[in-house]
């Protein structure tokens, strides 16, 4: 079983629709992150949370919002999806003082 | 502006030979560097890391070299095996106390090991 689980794994949605990507973890880590991967650009940080009451914008937060429902759950929302948000999205977790991030399997999102 | 660059999108190496993957960075505030490996349909998995106070870190077949003056690091895999075929991402982190998993990634290099 994966320690960091993302749902759904694949999603196709229409322009203008609201969509939520979910992430849950069993690693007991306080810190959670959302990254997106685009071809030729690597992974870029969207939002991160150091604990349940802490939410921070990353490099590319425009058009996204997040919710930290519990220590183990961190959701990413696209309020009104647009085609250039088509990408592979990864959730990650980590411990304070560590540098290593632990990634989920990814969600492939296509906006048509 | 790409702060971490992997200028080789792909690399092919014969099984048993050495694979060398390169990475350059521009931000002097980066003080910790990591390599991640990614198979298709899976998330990146941590491979090896190096602190800026070191110039070499070795773990089995994998060695990472850091040249701070050149702002360059490389990952050596020797001997290369077919299971090493994957996309490799170089990543950098600012000083440890500033949110350690806020990683800046390179574009990735697809390594193919030919049997």
């Amino acid at each position: 079983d994966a320690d960091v689980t993302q749902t759904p794994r694949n999603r196709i949605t229409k322009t203008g629709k609201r969509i939520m990507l979910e992430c849950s973890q069993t690693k007991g880590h306080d810190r959670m992150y959302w990254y997106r991967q685009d071809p030729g650009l690597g992974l870029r940080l969207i939002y991160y949370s150091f604990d349940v009451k802490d939410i921070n914008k990353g490099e590319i937060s425009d058009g996204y919002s997040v919710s930290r429902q519990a220590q183990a759950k961190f959701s990413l929302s696209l309020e009104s999806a647009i085609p250039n948000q088509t990408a592979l999205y990864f959730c990650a977790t980590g411990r304070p003082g560590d540098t290593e991030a632990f990634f989920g399997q990814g969600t492939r999102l296509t906006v048509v | 502006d790409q702060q971490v660059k992997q200028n080789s999108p792909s690399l092919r190496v014969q099984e048993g030979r050495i694979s060398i993957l390169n990475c350059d960075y521009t931000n002097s505030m980066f003080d910790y560097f990591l390599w991640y490996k990614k198979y298709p349909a899976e998330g990146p998995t941590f491979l090896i890391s190096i602190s800026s106070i070191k110039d070499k870190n070795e773990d089995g077949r994998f060695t990472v070299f850091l040249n701070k003056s050149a702002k360059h690091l490389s990952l050596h895999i020797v001997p290369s095996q077919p299971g090493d075929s994957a996309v490799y991402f170089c990543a950098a982190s600012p000083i440890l106390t500033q949110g350690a998993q806020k990683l800046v990634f390179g574009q990735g290099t697809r390594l193919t090991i030919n049997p």
Side-chain angles (χ1 to χ4, degrees):
Chain A
D1 288 342
D3 294 318
V4 183
T5 303
Q6 293 182 232
T7 55
R9 292 296 309 276
N10 290 281
R11 181 72 182 267
I12 300 174
T13 192
K14 293 184 177 180
T15 298
K17 292 291 187 182
R18 184 179 189 275
I19 182 169
M20 179 182 288
L21 309 183
E22 298 187 351
C23 176
S24 63
Q25 53 118 342
T26 58
K27 300 187 78 66
H29 292 166
D30 289 325
R31 297 181 173 187
M32 298 188 74
Y33 303 78
W34 277 102
Y35 285 87
R36 74 177 264 180
Q37 182 192 352
D38 297 277
L41 291 178
L43 282 78
R44 292 179 292 167
L45 183 62
I46 307 172
Y47 267 97
Y48 61 101
S49 169
F50 285 174
D51 63 41
V52 174
K53 297 180 181 179
D54 177 78
I55 300 289
N56 303 280
K57 293 182 177 181
E59 179 187 354
I60 53 165
S61 59
D62 287 349
Y64 302 95
S65 62
V66 291
S67 173
R68 186 79 184 268
Q69 300 96 324
Q71 188 213 30
K73 296 184 181 296
F74 192 37
S75 301
L76 176 72
S77 293
L78 287 67
E79 298 301 325
S80 179
I82 56 177
N84 75 2
Q85 290 177 314
T86 293
L88 191 52
Y89 290 84
F90 290 103
C91 175
T93 71
R95 291 181 292 252
D98 279 352
T99 307
E100 179 185 354
F102 299 84
F103 287 86
Q105 315 98 309
T107 295
R108 184 169 295 282
L109 177 66
T110 304
V111 183
V112 298
Chain B
D1 181 29
Q2 194 83 22
Q3 298 185 67
V4 178
K5 297 180 182 181
Q6 296 176 254
N7 292 316
S8 298
S10 63
L11 177 67
R12 287 185 174 270
V13 174
Q14 201 68 28
E15 181 179 2
R17 306 294 289 269
I18 184 171
S19 296
I20 300 176
L21 294 91
N22 293 304
C23 178
D24 297 293
Y25 63 96
T26 58
N27 190 337
S28 299
M29 296 303 292
F30 290 146
D31 81 329
Y32 205 89
F33 303 90
L34 308 90
W35 285 93
Y36 278 83
K37 177 179 181 179
K38 185 184 178 304
Y39 292 119
E42 295 184 12
T45 56
F46 171 74
L47 187 59
I48 192 169
S49 62
I50 187 167
S51 165
S52 61
I53 62 173
K54 296 185 176 182
D55 57 15
K56 177 182 174 181
N57 188 27
E58 189 172 356
D59 183 3
R61 298 186 296 114
F62 303 92
T63 303
V64 56
F65 296 92
L66 175 62
N67 182 333
K68 283 186 65 178
S69 61
K71 294 189 175 67
H72 176 84
L73 63 156
S74 61
L75 174 68
H76 293 210
I77 306 173
V78 59
S80 299
Q81 299 174 353
D84 296 329
S85 296
V87 177
Y88 289 79
F89 289 100
C90 172
S93 173
I95 57 174
L96 199 62
T97 55
Q98 298 297 323
Q101 295 90 20
K102 287 174 62 181
L103 303 174
V104 179
F105 283 84
Q107 308 96 312
T109 296
R110 182 178 300 277
L111 175 65
T112 302
I113 305 301
N114 297 318

